[in-house]
Amino acid sequence: YMYADDLAHLTSNSALPDAEEDCQQLANAVAQWSSEWLLDINHGKCEVIHFTPDPREIKRVAPRVFIDNQPVPAKESVTYLGVKFDRMLNFHLHAQDVARKVGSRCQALSCLSGSSWGLKQSDLKQLFNGFILPVATYCLGGWGAYLSDTSCARIERAILRACRIVAGQHRSTPAEAVHLASGIPTFETLRRRAIVLSQEKSLRLPASNPRYVTAAKPPPFRGTRPTKKVSTRSLAAATISAHQQLAPLANREAIEPWPIPPWHSPSVQFFPLLLDQTNKAADPATLLTSAIASIQRHSPWDLCYYTDGSALDGCSEGGCGVVVTTGPASAPIVVDTLPLSGPAVCSSYDCECHAL
């Protein structure tokens, strides 16, 4: 796997010596390729880790891999693309980092809050969404299902602290009331949302895609005793079955992009810009005048249709509507209104297209 200049090799085998040999061959290939292209490998950033579900192998097994005859240090945890992987893939170290980062950013957020001089709650919530929430939800669909209850509670407390700052609530206020007052969901809700989205996206990919294979088929168990660890697949299935309004997800449809964008349709002509290139930065009176002039240039007409559509949080409980009018755009006469409901799970874009 390679992203920019970050390279990761992954090999799997039931026997550690065979896994070491496979990994060594990959390391030799990288070293040879780098030598041919006159690239220097930063040996100080090279690491190797042994993932295993057997806790007895944690202390007694350390893989040995060499690059340019230099040993690659074996680590208890490695960080790749911002996610910290530990040897048993419990992600408890990553959860500690997330809770620590959220806590430190809460201190910065508290400096901007105050009953008499601080920012408004809407501004604090916007700061939370842009400054703290991305830290807690980064790649959450990949590692969130494997967290222990202790790790989840650690991040939950950090998120709750931020919610208290946003809502201006005391420490004695019940957690449910704090989340309700701040309008910020719990970490458990965020975790299950990310897991369901990740699972459903994976199951809509081609059958040959590694993400589909991982999501559709359980991996073989290797260990001396059963584990209580859940998977993304099982947690996503439990979340979907617990919400009856998401039942249509059982009949999945492949994600097919528009072959032709609606605004490039040969039978319909679209005018996405106003007549004088006015944008949203203009004042409402200027926008209204420009919109009326842009509509009026296409007159005369028998009927004029105004459409709109949106979804709650851009993903559920969609709806749209159509207003039919006659007369000039400056003084329209409403002939009919057509309210339309959308599906339980949809996007605002789907609702807009449905209205059109």
Side-chain angles (χ1 to χ4, degrees), residues 97-113:
D97 282 353
V98 170
R100 177 183 56 81
K101 292 178 181 179
V102 171
S104 63
R105 296 187 178 212
C106 284
Q107 297 178 3
L109 187 65
S110 64
C111 294
L112 301 174
S113 64

Side-chain angles (χ1 to χ4, degrees), residues 91-141:
F91 295 99
H92 64 281
L93 295 178
H94 185 70
Q96 291 177 5
D97 282 353
V98 170
R100 177 183 56 81
K101 292 178 181 179
V102 171
S104 63
R105 296 187 178 212
C106 284
Q107 297 178 3
L109 187 65
S110 64
C111 294
L112 301 174
S113 64
S115 58
S116 58
W117 52 266
L119 297 177
K120 297 185 296 183
Q121 179 175 341
S122 59
D123 296 332
L124 290 174
K125 184 177 180 181
Q126 187 173 0
L127 282 174
F128 171 86
N129 291 333
F131 187 56
I132 297 179
L133 186 62
V135 175
T137 58
Y138 173 71
C139 293
L140 185 57

Side-chain angles (χ1 to χ4, degrees), residues 273-279 282-297 329-330:
L273 300 177
L274 294 179
L275 190 60
D276 53 358
Q277 307 296 315
T278 305
N279 54 35
D283 60 274
T286 303
L287 280 175
L288 178 60
T289 303
S290 179
I292 291 176
S294 300
I295 297 173
Q296 197 65 37
R297 67 174 176 173
S330 57

Side-chain angles (χ1 to χ4, degrees), residues 308-310 317-322 338-344 346 350-351 354-355:
D308 191 17
S310 63
E317 299 181 14
C320 57
V322 181
L338 305 174
L340 304 172
S341 61
C346 62
D350 294 332
C351 296
H354 184 57

Side-chain angles (χ1 to χ4, degrees), residues 251-322:
N251 300 321
R252 297 179 181 87
E253 295 182 1
I255 299 178
E256 298 181 358
W258 286 84
I260 300 177
W263 49 89
H264 291 167
S265 175
S267 60
V268 180
Q269 188 176 7
F270 284 82
F271 301 90
L273 300 177
L274 294 179
L275 190 60
D276 53 358
Q277 307 296 315
T278 305
N279 54 35
K280 293 182 179 180
D283 60 274
T286 303
L287 280 175
L288 178 60
T289 303
S290 179
I292 291 176
S294 300
I295 297 173
Q296 197 65 37
R297 67 174 176 173
H298 301 292
S299 62
W301 57 72
D302 295 326
L303 296 174
C304 183
Y305 297 84
Y306 297 86
T307 66
D308 191 17
S310 63
L312 180 63
D313 295 329
C315 61
S316 63
E317 299 181 14
C320 57
V322 181

Side-chain angles (χ1 to χ4, degrees), residues 160 164 173-180 186:
L160 180 60
R164 294 188 189 279
T173 307
E176 294 82 359
V178 174
H179 286 288
L180 181 62
T186 63

Side-chain angles (χ1 to χ4, degrees), residues 51-347:
F51 299 114
T52 174
D54 191 349
R56 296 179 300 180
E57 295 183 354
I58 294 296
K59 295 181 180 180
R60 71 184 186 188
V61 175
R64 301 180 61 202
V65 180
F66 298 84
I67 296 181
D68 294 334
N69 296 324
Q70 297 187 28
V72 179
K75 299 291 186 177
E76 295 295 323
S77 65
V78 295
T79 301
Y80 185 65
L81 298 182
V83 179
K84 181 170 288 188
F85 296 82
D86 55 86
R87 295 187 64 179
M88 293 193 67
L89 294 178
N90 292 322
F91 295 99
H92 64 281
L93 295 178
H94 185 70
Q96 291 177 5
D97 282 353
V98 170
R100 177 183 56 81
K101 292 178 181 179
V102 171
S104 63
R105 296 187 178 212
C106 284
Q107 297 178 3
L109 187 65
S110 64
C111 294
L112 301 174
S113 64
S115 58
S116 58
W117 52 266
L119 297 177
K120 297 185 296 183
Q121 179 175 341
S122 59
D123 296 332
L124 290 174
K125 184 177 180 181
Q126 187 173 0
L127 282 174
F128 171 86
N129 291 333
F131 187 56
I132 297 179
L133 186 62
V135 175
T137 58
Y138 173 71
C139 293
L140 185 57
W143 55 270
Y146 306 100
L147 293 179
S148 64
D149 294 340
T150 303
S151 297
C152 288
R154 182 179 289 112
I155 302 178
E156 193 75 76
R157 289 193 296 269
I159 295 293
L160 180 60
R161 179 185 174 187
C163 293
R164 294 188 189 279
I165 296 173
V166 171
Q169 300 293 328
H170 299 286
R171 294 186 61 181
S172 59
T173 307
E176 294 82 359
V178 174
H179 286 288
L180 181 62
S182 63
I184 299 173
T186 63
F187 175 72
E188 179 64 18
T189 300
L190 297 172
R191 184 173 76 114
R192 289 183 175 267
R193 284 179 182 175
I195 291 170
V196 170
L197 287 174
S198 177
Q199 178 76 356
E200 290 301 320
K201 287 182 179 179
S202 300
L203 292 176
R204 286 170 169 82
L205 295 173
S208 59
N209 191 289
R211 283 188 59 178
Y212 176 88
V213 175
T214 304
K217 300 179 182 179
F221 172 74
R222 174 183 171 267
T224 57
R225 55 184 176 179
T227 178
K228 295 182 180 179
K229 186 184 296 184
V230 298
S231 64
T232 301
R233 179 182 54 262
S234 60
L235 189 55
T239 303
I240 292 174
S241 61
H243 296 77
Q244 297 301 322
Q245 68 269 25
L246 299 182
L249 288 179
N251 300 321
R252 297 179 181 87
E253 295 182 1
I255 299 178
E256 298 181 358
W258 286 84
I260 300 177
W263 49 89
H264 291 167
S265 175
S267 60
V268 180
Q269 188 176 7
F270 284 82
F271 301 90
L273 300 177
L274 294 179
L275 190 60
D276 53 358
Q277 307 296 315
T278 305
N279 54 35
K280 293 182 179 180
D283 60 274
T286 303
L287 280 175
L288 178 60
T289 303
S290 179
I292 291 176
S294 300
I295 297 173
Q296 197 65 37
R297 67 174 176 173
H298 301 292
S299 62
W301 57 72
D302 295 326
L303 296 174
C304 183
Y305 297 84
Y306 297 86
T307 66
D308 191 17
S310 63
L312 180 63
D313 295 329
C315 61
S316 63
E317 299 181 14
C320 57
V322 181
V323 178
V324 185
T325 67
T326 61
S330 57
I333 301 173
V334 177
V335 177
D336 196 5
T337 57
L338 305 174
L340 304 172
S341 61
V345 179
C346 62
S347 66

